[in-house]
Amino acid sequence: MSIGRDPGLQPERTRLAWRRTLLTVTVVTALAVRLASTGDPTGALIAGGTVLVWGALLVLCWPRGTGTGPARTGGRTLPLVTVGTVVLALLGVLLVLRGLG
């Protein structure tokens, strides 16, 4: 007896995972902007880069997180989100090193 595919709650879990990703990136961006807002040009550049990466990740993740349509990049969404996450991590390291120096 063959049973057809039953997606169950999988689509909802996927949407919730993408929403958590967006929320996490938003919080990290807000913290980075707050840490970088000391008035020096280096901090402003780091904050600007963080906001740009946040905007790109928002455009990539929003359709999947809300279920309003297919991903705009086809099968490239996950690698692009990974690159964005790595860039945010590097910007965070720069903020820490700038604060220590």
Side-chain angles (χ1 to χ4, degrees), residues 24-26 28-29 32 46 49-54 57 81-95:
T24 302
V25 170
T26 301
V28 167
T29 300
I46 294 172
T50 303
V51 170
L52 286 174
V53 171
W54 173 77
L57 289 176
V81 170
T82 302
V83 168
T85 303
V86 169
V87 169
L88 282 177
L90 291 175
L91 289 170
V93 168
L94 286 175
L95 279 174

Side-chain angles (χ1 to χ4, degrees), residues 4 29 49 52 56 68 72 77 86 92 96:
T29 300
L52 286 174
T68 56
R72 296 180 185 171
T77 302
V86 169
V96 170

Side-chain angles (χ1 to χ4, degrees), residues 5-92:
R5 184 178 181 276
D6 179 21
L9 295 176
Q10 188 270 331
E12 183 179 0
R13 286 193 307 267
T14 300
R15 280 193 302 277
L16 291 172
W18 283 103
R19 287 180 186 175
R20 282 192 305 270
T21 300
L22 282 173
L23 179 62
T24 302
V25 170
T26 301
V27 169
V28 167
T29 300
L31 291 173
V33 168
R34 182 172 179 226
L35 286 173
S37 63
T38 59
D40 64 344
T42 305
L45 286 174
I46 294 172
T50 303
V51 170
L52 286 174
V53 171
W54 173 77
L57 289 176
L58 185 67
V59 167
L60 288 172
C61 296
W62 187 261
R64 289 190 180 210
T66 59
T68 56
R72 296 180 185 171
T73 58
R76 294 178 293 169
T77 302
L78 289 177
L80 290 174
V81 170
T82 302
V83 168
T85 303
V86 169
V87 169
L88 282 177
L90 291 175
L91 289 170

